[in-house]
Amino acid sequence: MKITIWLIIISLFCSGTVQSQKIFTSVDSLLSYSTSKSISIQSGYIRIDQAKKAKLAALLSIPDPTGNTSLSYTHNTKLPVSLFPAEIFGGEAGTYKEVKSGVPYVTNFTQDIEIKLLNVNGWLNLKLAKLNIESSTSENKITIKELWENIATTYCNIVSLQEELASTLENLNTSDSLLKITQNKLNEGVIKQQDVNDANINFLTTKENKNQIEYLIKQQYLALKILCDIPEQEDIEIVNKTSLTEFILNPTIEANNIALANSMLKEQIALASWKQEKCTKYPTISFFQSNTSQQNNTRGKLFDNSVKWNSSSYLGFKIKVPMPSASTMSETTKAKYDYLLAKKNTEQEKIKSELTIQQLITNYNKALSQATANKEIFLLKKENYEKYLDLYKEDLVSFDRALDSYNAMVNSNYTLVSSQVSVLAAKTKIDINNRIK
C-alpha cells in the first residue's frame, strides 16, 4: 500500500514537470507563444491605448472649457473706516466724520466658466492625436516583426546546433571505431604509436566538440528566453519537425510597406507639429460667464435663512493674441527642420521598400543553391572516406590519408547542416514578411 502511494506521488510530480515544459516543433509555434509572453509587444499595446486616451483629451482641448466653483466665508474682525462729510450727519460743513462700513460676516458663492470658440491650435492637436494612434499601431507592428525575425534567427541557430550535435555524436562513434582499428593495427605491429596518438587526438577533439556544441545550445536557449521574456524557471525545448531537405523553389513574396507606412506617418506627424507650432501665434476667441451670490449677516452664520442672497452676474467675449517670443520662434524653426528630415527619411524608406523583395528572394535562392551544392559535396566526401577507410583496413593507404578524408567529411557535414538551416531561416523571414504588414 505504501509503495502504491509513493508511486502515485512520483507520477504526479513527473506529470507536473512534463506539463510545465513547453515544446516547440516549428518556428510558427514559437512565434505564436512569444506574442503572449513578450513584454515588448504588451508595452506596444499599452502605448496604443495611451494614444487613444490622448485623442479624447485632444478632443476636449478644442473648446478647452475652464471654470471654478468656489464658496467663501469671511469674518471681518475689523471693519474698514471711511470719511464722509460731517454735514450729511448734521455736523459742521468742511469737516469729516469717520464711519465704519460693511458687515462683519460675508458668505460668497461664485461660479465662472470660459469656453474657447476659435482655437486653431486645438484642432491641430486633435489631428496630431489621431496620427499618433496610427503611428503607435504601426510602431507595434514593426516591433513584432523585428522581434519575430530575431526569434526566428535564434530558433534556427538552435536547430543548426542540434543537427551539428547529432552529427557530432555519429562522428564520435566513427572516430572511436577509427581509434580501435588503429589500436589493433599497433598491436599487430603494422603502424607506429604516432598514428594511434593522432587517432586518439581526433577522438578527444570530437568529444570536446560535442561538449562545446552543448554549451552553445544552452547559450542560445538563454538568448531565446531573453528575447521572448520567458522566466528562468520555465523550461522550453525545441524539437524541430520542419524538413531541412525539402524546400520550394521561388516562394511567393508579398509587398510589405510597413516600414514605409510608418515613415510616412512620422512625416505627417512632423508636418502637423510644425503647423501647430506656427498656430501658437494665432489669436483665440473665448466666451466667459460668471455668477456670484453673496449673503451679508451680523450673526456669524455660514448660511442665515433670515437674510436674503444678493446675486450678480456677467458674461462676455474676449480675444487673446499671444506675443511671439524667442522660445516660440525656436520651437517653430526646430519643428520645420524635423519635418524636412522626416520627409527625407520617407524618400529613403521608399527606396529600401522597393528593394526588400529582391533582397529576400536573392537571399533565399543563394541559401538554397548553396545547400544543394553542399549536399552533393558531402555525399562525395562521405564516399571518399568510406573508400579510404576500407583501403586503410587493408593497409593500402596511410592513416594520415584516412584521417584527412574523415576530417573533410566531418567539415563538409557541418557546412551542409549550416546551409540547410540557412534556407530555413531565409524562408522563415519571407513568411514573417508576408504575415506582418
Side-chain angles (χ1 to χ4, degrees):
M1 183 65 180
K2 291 182 178 179
I3 295 176
T4 304
I5 294 174
W6 277 109
L7 288 174
I8 293 174
I9 293 174
I10 293 172
S11 64
L12 288 173
F13 176 78
C14 293
S15 62
T17 303
V18 172
Q19 291 175 356
S20 66
Q21 186 180 47
K22 299 290 183 180
I23 299 177
F24 304 101
T25 58
S26 65
V27 181
D28 287 342
S29 63
L30 178 59
L31 295 180
S32 299
Y33 181 71
S34 69
T35 303
S36 62
K37 298 292 290 186
S38 173
I39 296 176
S40 298
I41 296 177
Q42 295 171 13
S43 299
Y45 289 122
I46 292 175
R47 280 189 285 270
I48 293 173
D49 189 56
Q50 182 185 22
K52 291 179 180 178
K53 295 298 186 292
K55 177 188 172 184
L56 296 177
L59 187 62
L60 187 62
S61 72
I62 296 174
D64 193 20
T66 57
N68 291 289
T69 299
S70 62
L71 174 66
S72 66
Y73 174 73
T74 305
H75 177 201
N76 295 306
T77 56
K78 289 185 178 181
L79 294 175
V81 176
S82 301
L83 296 178
F84 289 90
E87 58 187 304
I88 297 176
F89 303 98
E92 185 179 351
T95 62
Y96 294 88
K97 183 177 178 60
E98 294 182 353
V99 178
K100 290 184 178 181
S101 61
V103 292
Y105 304 100
V106 180
T107 301
N108 276 309
F109 180 71
T110 304
Q111 292 177 308
D112 61 76
I113 187 171
E114 181 177 337
I115 299 176
K116 290 180 180 176
L117 303 178
L118 176 62
N119 184 12
V120 180
N121 193 49
W123 284 103
L124 289 174
N125 191 43
L126 176 61
K127 181 180 180 180
L128 196 60
K130 292 178 179 179
L131 289 172
N132 280 330
I133 294 175
E134 296 180 37
S135 178
S136 297
T137 304
S138 178
E139 286 283 356
N140 200 39
K141 286 183 180 180
I142 291 177
T143 298
I144 295 174
K145 185 172 182 289
E146 292 177 350
L147 177 66
W148 278 15
E149 288 176 349
N150 291 332
I151 290 173
T153 299
T154 308
Y155 177 94
C156 290
N157 288 342
I158 293 175
V159 171
S160 177
L161 290 169
Q162 287 176 338
E163 293 294 325
E164 288 183 14
L165 180 61
S167 176
T168 303
L169 290 173
E170 294 180 3
N171 295 337
L172 189 61
N173 292 330
T174 302
S175 62
D176 184 49
S177 300
L178 188 60
L179 176 60
K180 290 177 180 178
I181 293 172
T182 307
Q183 185 65 52
N184 292 334
K185 285 184 173 292
L186 177 66
N187 296 336
E188 295 172 1
V190 178
I191 61 173
K192 300 174 291 184
Q193 179 65 44
Q194 291 90 322
D195 292 335
V196 177
N197 292 343
D198 288 339
N200 195 21
I201 291 171
N202 181 64
F203 173 77
L204 294 175
T205 301
T206 306
K207 185 177 180 180
E208 182 55 28
N209 285 341
K210 177 189 77 71
N211 295 336
Q212 291 299 316
I213 292 173
E214 289 175 345
Y215 285 125
L216 288 173
I217 291 175
K218 289 181 180 180
Q219 288 178 338
Q220 289 298 312
Y221 269 117
L222 290 174
L224 186 60
K225 282 189 172 184
I226 292 173
L227 279 173
C228 300
D229 297 310
I230 298 174
E232 187 273 335
Q233 64 272 16
E234 186 173 326
D235 292 330
I236 59 174
E237 183 179 1
I238 291 177
V239 183
N240 181 61
K241 292 186 178 180
T242 305
S243 175
L244 295 179
T245 57
E246 298 178 5
F247 295 101
I248 60 175
L249 295 172
N250 300 319
T252 302
I253 303 179
E254 300 175 8
N256 189 317
N257 294 323
I258 181 174
L260 176 60
N262 185 63
S263 182
M264 292 175 67
L265 280 170
K266 290 186 180 300
E267 180 183 339
Q268 293 177 47
I269 290 173
L271 178 59
S273 298
W274 181 27
K275 290 181 178 179
Q276 187 180 37
E277 287 296 332
K278 290 193 293 184
C279 288
T280 55
K281 307 180 186 69
Y282 290 5
T284 58
I285 299 176
S286 304
F287 166 80
F288 60 88
Q289 182 181 14
S290 178
N291 295 304
T292 301
S293 296
Q294 183 175 346
Q295 187 183 68
N296 302 315
N297 67 81
T298 59
R299 296 193 295 176
K301 292 184 177 181
L302 179 61
F303 299 109
D304 192 344
N305 294 330
S306 64
V307 180
K308 71 174 184 177
W309 287 88
N310 298 313
S311 299
S312 63
S313 65
Y314 62 86
L315 56 85
F317 299 90
K318 70 176 181 180
I319 181 169
K320 184 178 179 181
V321 181
M323 182 69 69
S325 65
S327 177
T328 56
M329 293 177 63
S330 175
E331 290 297 326
T332 303
T333 303
K334 180 180 181 300
K336 174 185 177 180
Y337 285 101
D338 285 344
Y339 164 66
L340 294 176
L341 289 172
K343 193 173 181 180
K344 288 298 180 183
N345 289 336
T346 301
E347 293 177 11
Q348 186 180 45
E349 198 60 51
K350 185 177 181 181
I351 296 173
K352 290 171 62 178
S353 177
E354 294 171 350
L355 296 174
T356 298
I357 294 179
Q358 294 298 323
Q359 188 178 34
L360 289 173
I361 192 62
T362 300
N363 290 343
Y364 179 82
N365 289 336
K366 175 178 178 294
L368 184 60
S369 175
Q370 193 171 39
T372 303
N374 288 340
K375 183 176 181 181
E376 296 179 6
I377 293 172
F378 168 70
L379 293 176
L380 291 172
K381 291 191 175 182
K382 182 180 180 182
E383 182 181 358
N384 284 348
Y385 167 69
E386 291 171 349
K387 291 184 178 300
Y388 275 118
L389 181 62
D390 291 338
L391 292 173
Y392 174 64
K393 291 178 180 178
E394 297 174 6
D395 297 327
L396 297 177
V397 295
S398 65
F399 173 75
D400 291 340
R401 190 63 175 165
L403 185 60
D404 289 342
S405 64
Y406 166 79
N407 288 328
M409 178 193 69
V410 169
N411 292 332
S412 177
N413 191 23
Y414 287 154
T415 303
L416 171 61
V417 170
S418 178
S419 61
Q420 287 175 334
V421 175
S422 294
V423 180
L424 175 63
K427 178 62 170 59
T428 302
K429 197 167 185 178
I430 291 174
D431 292 339
I432 294 173
N433 173 82
N434 294 344
R435 286 177 64 179
I436 305 177
K437 55 184 179 178

